Amino acid sequence: MNTLLHDLRYGVRMLVKNPGFTAVAVLTLALGIGATTAIFSVVYGVLLRSLPYSKPEQLVSIREVAADGHLMQFTDPNFDD
């Protein structure tokens, strides 16, 4: 434990002695933490959070098949019919 305190004091002395390096190190850490937080927020919002429906397993997608066999979305008049 005593060695850890000596190492921490030495590290702080070196950071105070070299303010340019300290600024670059702090800026790099800040950018890394900020980018990680932003990416996690997007991933959580898009992929991890459950859908805001009471029974999301019952959601379906309805499509129609064109004459040549490819799937296409319903147009509004076809959906109304």
Side-chain angles (χ1 to χ4, degrees):
M1 188 66 164
N2 197 15
T3 305
L4 176 65
L5 291 175
H6 286 292
D7 288 343
L8 287 175
R9 285 186 201 139
Y10 177 73
V12 170
R13 278 197 313 265
M14 290 297 112
L15 289 175
V16 170
K17 190 175 179 181
N18 300 319
F21 174 77
T22 303
V24 169
V26 169
L27 182 65
T28 303
L29 284 171
L31 287 173
I33 292 170
T36 302
T37 302
I39 290 172
F40 178 76
S41 297
V42 169
V43 168
Y44 178 75
V46 173
L47 299 175
L48 300 177
R49 189 179 57 205
S50 62
L51 294 173
Y53 303 106
S54 60
K55 296 180 182 178
E57 68 276 359
Q58 294 181 353
L59 292 176
V60 296
S61 174
I62 301 174
R63 298 175 184 250
E64 63 181 314
V65 179
D68 62 356
H70 75 274
L71 294 176
M72 53 188 222
Q73 297 289 336
F74 273 113
T75 58
D76 287 336
N78 286 347
F79 184 76
D80 291 338
D81 288 342

